[in-house]
Amino acid sequence: MNNMQSKKRLLGVCRLQAKLTRRDLVHAERRAAQLEMSHAQLLAMANEMLCARDCDQSTMLAGRLEFGHRLITLSSVQKNEIAEAEKTASALRSSAHASKQREERADLNFRHARKSHHQRSLEKQPHRVAKQGVALTKAKRGFSS
């Protein structure tokens, strides 16, 4: 019985770890997707701003240089964040897979423990029934047990 309970507790822990890992993975993938979308929005905004036609040439050139410098800096920061988020998501995918395997092994161990416990209880049960049958037979005959 103790073996079955410990296997059941281990299964519960593995399920919780797998659930938390899957949650972290989804969060990391969502973060990477958000970073990629913000990067795409930044590039679209840059293209839109650089197409301004109502400024004089020198002001537009100065604005383009300033904005280009900031865009390059921000773009490299975003690319680094995207790469880091994808790396984290990849590590979490691996961790989620390992957690899922641990959960499956724990589930299998629990099922085996439950089955062996059930078999042991069935093996013990005929002895109890036989003893009870002898006691009932003696009681019917008038003997005390």
Side-chain angles (χ1 to χ4, degrees), residues 6-129:
S6 67
K7 299 291 183 187
K8 187 175 184 177
R9 265 187 256 121
L10 183 62
L11 175 61
V13 168
C14 287
R15 283 183 177 161
L16 180 63
Q17 286 176 337
K19 182 178 179 180
L20 292 174
T21 305
R22 283 191 298 267
R23 184 195 66 190
D24 291 344
L25 172 61
V26 167
H27 177 70
E29 288 174 341
R30 195 176 292 153
R31 173 78 176 135
Q34 287 172 343
L35 286 170
E36 288 174 356
M37 284 186 347
S38 69
H39 185 69
Q41 288 172 347
L42 177 69
L43 293 177
M45 186 178 71
N47 288 336
E48 184 180 310
M49 288 181 74
L50 293 176
C51 289
R53 301 202 192 287
D54 56 349
C55 299
D56 63 347
Q57 197 67 15
S58 62
T59 308
M60 189 164 29
L61 183 58
R64 283 183 179 180
L65 288 174
E66 176 70 23
F67 184 73
H69 174 70
R70 290 184 181 181
L71 181 63
I72 290 169
T73 305
L74 185 58
S75 180
S76 66
V77 167
Q78 280 186 333
K79 284 181 183 178
N80 289 338
E81 286 181 358
I82 289 169
E84 186 178 317
E86 287 175 349
K87 185 177 175 182
T88 302
S90 175
L92 284 171
R93 259 185 230 101
S94 174
S95 180
H97 180 69
S99 291
K100 183 66 176 169
Q101 287 179 332
R102 279 193 304 270
E103 181 184 356
E104 289 170 355
R105 277 194 307 264
D107 188 35
L108 181 65
N109 288 341
F110 174 66
R111 281 188 271 134
H112 284 303
R114 186 174 52 197
K115 185 177 179 180
S116 65
H117 174 72
H118 181 68
Q119 287 175 346
R120 276 186 264 127
S121 69
L122 287 178
E123 289 171 0
K124 291 178 184 179
Q125 191 175 13
H127 298 296
R128 289 183 194 150
V129 171

